[in-house]
């Protein structure tokens, strides 16, 4: 099977957690499934949150990229090194007087402390076989030529995303049930993990519950995803992801 492969990187990213709303905000550590669909939508010019009609004055209340990519299968591989995926806390001041009230007084400045993820890099694989041809062709053209209709960003528009190194690669169906998965994968697929590193300092084991899709009335649905450099054993049945071997190893498309 042919897969789209490309890289995404940025100096900073903020994928704000949706389960909080206060002066201290935190970010999902890794690129989420829903955010990646938004980036791809920006690349080919589909309507997103900023131009979706999320206003009482506009009747069209759809997220076009969500509909176009509803059958898209993706694989996200974080590229770790010593100086990336670091946490940074940025403090901003909102002095407009419109964002905070205190003791019935209006016009109080609001201090916002945000968690940023610094120096992020991902390798992404896509199975676009179920995407409508006109969108598939435009996506391939824009990825290949490093073009975008709208500026892609990593969570918010000041966190620019660089999308590059596109190529078409072959994926071969993985027949085994135990292997090292180089990408994130649904936690529900994993029956067990076997440690293969002799030194505990070499072990990476990470899990996060993050948005996987959004409903027509704009509620996120969530799944738990895991990433580890150890050998995983899949369930015998009820496996959500599709597992393929590429040059770098075995990955999960979900």
């Amino acid at each position: 099977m042919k897969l789209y492969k490309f890289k995404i990187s940025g100096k900073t990213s903020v994928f704000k957690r949706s389960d909080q709303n206060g002066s201290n905000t935190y970010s999902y550590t890794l690129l989420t499934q829903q955010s990646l669909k938004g980036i791809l939508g920006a690349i080919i010019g589909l309507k997103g949150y900023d131009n979706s009609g999320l206003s009482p004055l506009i009747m069209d209340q759809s997220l076009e990229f969500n509909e176009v990519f509803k059958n898209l299968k993706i694989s996200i591989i974080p590229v770790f090194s010593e100086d990336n995926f670091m946490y940074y806390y940025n403090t901003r001041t909102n002095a407009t007087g419109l964002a905070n009230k205190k003791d019935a007084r209006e016009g109080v400045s609001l201090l916002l402390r945000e968690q940023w993820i610094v120096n992020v890099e991902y390798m992404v694989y896509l199975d676009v076989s179920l995407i409508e041809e006109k969108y598939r062709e435009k996506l391939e053209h824009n990825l290949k030529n490093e073009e975008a209709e709208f500026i892609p960003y990593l969570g918010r528009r000041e966190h620019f995303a660089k999308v590059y190194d596109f190529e078409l690669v072959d994926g071969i169906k993985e027949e085994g049930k135990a292997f090292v998965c180089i990408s994130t994968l649904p936690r529900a697929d994993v029956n067990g993990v076997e440690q293969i590193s002799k030194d505990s300092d070499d072990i990476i084991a990470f899990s996060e519950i993050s948005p996987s899709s959004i409903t027509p009335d704009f509620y996120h649905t969530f799944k738990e995803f895991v990433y580890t450099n150890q050998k995983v054993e899949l369930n015998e049945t009820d496996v959500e992801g599709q597992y393929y071997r590429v040059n770098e190893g075995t990955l999960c498309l979900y």
Side-chain angles (χ1 to χ4, degrees):
M1 182 175 67
K2 289 293 184 182
L3 301 174
Y4 289 8
K5 174 189 174 184
F6 57 94
K7 293 180 181 178
I8 298 177
S9 64
K11 292 184 177 180
T12 55
S13 69
V14 174
F15 302 112
K16 182 183 175 183
R17 298 185 63 91
S18 55
D19 55 355
Q20 58 192 324
N21 188 21
S23 57
N24 293 320
T25 62
Y26 298 90
S27 173
Y28 295 107
T29 302
L30 300 181
L31 175 66
T32 68
Q33 187 177 12
Q34 185 65 17
S35 296
L36 177 57
K37 292 178 183 177
I39 291 173
L40 299 175
I43 288 172
I44 64 175
L46 301 179
K47 290 188 299 182
Y49 294 99
D50 285 347
N51 56 5
S52 64
L54 299 184
S55 163
L57 302 178
I58 302 175
M59 296 303 295
D60 183 1
Q61 299 284 309
S62 63
L63 286 178
E64 187 179 17
F65 75 84
N66 210 50
E67 179 64 24
V68 170
F69 294 126
K70 64 182 179 181
N71 294 319
L72 178 69
K73 298 295 184 182
I74 68 173
S75 182
I76 299 173
I77 304 172
V79 181
F80 289 111
S81 66
E82 291 184 0
D83 61 349
N84 67 357
F85 289 95
M86 306 291 288
Y87 293 118
Y88 169 77
Y89 293 90
N90 180 58
T91 301
R92 299 191 301 162
T93 303
N94 185 333
T96 63
L98 302 175
N100 200 16
K101 271 189 176 183
K102 186 176 182 181
D103 300 329
R105 293 183 294 125
E106 296 187 6
V108 179
S109 295
L110 175 65
L111 291 177
L112 299 170
R113 189 169 184 262
E114 297 178 322
Q115 183 187 60
W116 291 7
I117 313 300
V118 180
N119 293 330
V120 298
E121 183 178 352
Y122 304 93
M123 191 180 301
V124 175
Y125 287 82
L126 305 178
D127 172 12
V128 297
S129 59
L130 297 179
I131 305 303
E132 191 175 341
E133 184 178 1
K134 65 177 181 179
Y135 299 117
R136 187 169 66 239
E137 290 178 350
K138 187 170 185 180
L139 181 61
E140 180 176 344
H141 174 273
N142 285 10
L143 287 172
K144 187 180 297 184
N145 293 282
E146 298 186 12
E147 298 174 356
E149 301 299 321
F150 305 129
I151 297 175
Y153 50 83
L154 295 166
R156 206 168 54 223
R157 63 182 60 181
E158 62 263 40
H159 303 279
F160 301 116
K162 181 181 178 182
V163 183
Y164 57 104
D165 282 1
F166 170 82
E167 57 181 305
L168 280 172
V169 300
D170 291 314
I172 301 172
K173 186 76 172 178
E174 174 62 70
E175 300 296 340
K177 288 291 185 179
F179 45 77
V180 176
C181 184
I182 62 174
S183 70
T184 59
L185 68 156
R187 174 65 181 86
D189 284 2
V190 180
N191 184 48
V193 178
E194 177 187 345
Q195 181 176 331
I196 59 175
S197 296
K198 295 181 180 180
D199 189 341
S200 61
D201 291 339
D202 296 332
I203 297 175
I204 299 175
F206 175 84
S207 69
E208 188 168 57
I209 299 174
S210 62
S212 59
S213 62
I214 193 169
T215 65
D217 49 356
F218 302 101
Y219 286 99
H220 281 117
T221 58
F222 294 83
K223 290 179 185 175
E224 183 178 4
F225 296 96
V226 297
Y227 175 80
T228 181
N229 59 355
Q230 307 303 293
K231 183 182 289 187
V232 297
E233 180 182 346
L234 300 183
N235 300 324
E236 291 297 327
T237 58
D238 299 325
V239 174
E240 177 186 344
Q242 299 174 4
Y243 294 85
Y244 286 86
R245 284 184 283 114
V246 294
N247 288 339
E248 290 80 9
T250 300
L251 55 80
C252 176
L253 291 163
Y254 50 80

